[in-house]
Amino acid sequence: MKTTKIVSITLLCSSLLLAQTQKQHDEEIKSIVKDGQIATKTLLQTLQKNMKQHIKQGGITDALSFCSNEAYALTDKVNANLKKGISAKRISAKYRNPANAPLDDEMKVLDSIQTLKSEKKKVPPYILKQIDEHTYKLYTPLVINKPVCLKCHGDIAANPALQKEISSRYPDDKAVDYKMGDLRGAVVVTIKR
Ligand code: HEC
């Protein structure tokens, strides 16, 4: 009788403890996702705001030189202002800038998103992967969602001057021939805890 009591008290305590650890874990994941989403939003808003401004000022070719010259510096600037241990970047399987080529683990995630799209299944708003005990990557799929994207990532032969500019800056450009709704890539935020 006594042993049974001790056993059940021990069991109760350990399940309470487990529930507590599970709760802490859930809270931690929530806060990681939140940090990742803030970083994603900051990067996308910064790039979009600057691009819009340049299209307005000097048209699509001016915006292209802006993207080409500044996208990286702007990304670095955004990263310098994020919380310590957090960094954001853009990746694509069909990249324009080779510096945006996905790493092997990132390519797997892009492939899995592409498969969902090809099978006409719902693409989740984000995907969280744990890399090691302290490192996570939050992926946010990027879709060609505005007609303006197609000016520089669609049928660019329609604008020979722009096409010439793109191929001189990016001789191995793969980021063309997209259509509305296509998966363009992802924002990846690495979060270290
Ligand atoms: C004015 C031309 C222009 C427009 C419009 C444009 N892009 Fe780009 N995009 C570029 C250039 C140039 C790069 C390469 C930047 C660099 O060198 O880092 C690029 C890079 C990217 C990348 C990073 C991966 C890669 O291929 O290097 C993504 C993702 C992307 N664009 C998505 C979009 C989306 C989504 C839109 C529409 C909202 C869009 N772009 C509109 C010119 C453009």
Side-chain angles (χ1 to χ4, degrees):
M1 179 61 193
K2 209 172 174 192
T3 346
T4 333
K5 222 177 192 174
I6 292 174
V7 168
S8 37
I9 289 176
T10 317
L11 278 178
L12 180 69
C13 288
S14 53
S15 54
L16 280 177
L17 209 67
L18 267 179
Q20 183 61 20
T21 342
Q22 182 62 41
K23 200 171 160 227
Q24 273 170 1
H25 177 74
D26 291 351
E27 293 292 323
E28 177 70 357
I29 296 292
K30 243 195 226 161
S31 115
I32 289 168
V33 169
K34 196 168 166 218
D35 280 349
Q37 286 176 325
I38 292 173
T40 304
K41 205 170 153 195
T42 312
L43 177 64
L44 289 179
Q45 279 181 349
T46 307
L47 291 174
Q48 270 162 23
K49 194 178 88 197
N50 281 279
M51 192 174 76
K52 247 192 198 157
Q53 215 173 314
H54 282 268
I55 293 181
K56 216 170 153 189
Q57 273 168 15
I60 207 77
T61 328
D62 178 52
L64 178 92
S65 6
F66 154 74
C67 278
S68 174
N69 300 333
E70 299 294 332
Y72 239 79
L74 273 177
T75 305
D76 282 349
K77 208 169 145 193
V78 166
N79 282 327
N81 287 317
L82 292 175
K83 269 205 239 170
K84 202 168 161 278
I86 301 181
S87 67
K89 63 172 183 177
R90 295 185 301 170
I91 57 165
S92 174
K94 276 174 57 178
Y95 48 84
R96 176 154 286 165
N97 187 335
N100 298 328
L103 301 172
D104 286 348
D105 62 318
E106 296 168 348
M107 189 62 213
K108 278 192 198 137
V109 177
L110 284 181
D111 276 344
S112 70
I113 303 172
Q114 185 57 61
T115 306
L116 287 176
K117 269 195 90 61
S118 309
E119 292 172 351
K120 307 229 174 318
K121 292 192 180 134
K122 198 168 176 283
V123 174
Y126 65 80
I127 296 170
L128 184 68
K129 294 277 178 195
Q130 183 160 14
I131 308 302
D132 60 35
E133 201 190 336
H134 299 289
T135 318
Y136 294 81
K137 283 185 183 178
L138 185 89
Y139 293 80
T140 302
L142 285 179
V143 168
I144 297 279
N145 58 354
K146 295 192 186 91
V148 67
C149 310
L150 296 176
K151 288 197 189 284
C152 298
H153 296 297
D155 173 20
I156 58 163
N159 183 343
L162 184 80
Q163 188 181 36
K164 198 166 154 234
E165 191 65 29
I166 291 179
S167 59
S168 79
R169 287 170 188 265
Y170 304 95
D172 296 320
D173 181 30
K174 304 184 204 302
V176 291
D177 295 333
Y178 283 95
K179 308 229 159 14
M180 279 304 272
D182 281 350
L183 178 70
R184 175 68 183 90
V187 173
V188 185
V189 182
T190 305
I191 301 135
K192 285 188 186 291
R193 284 300 166 112

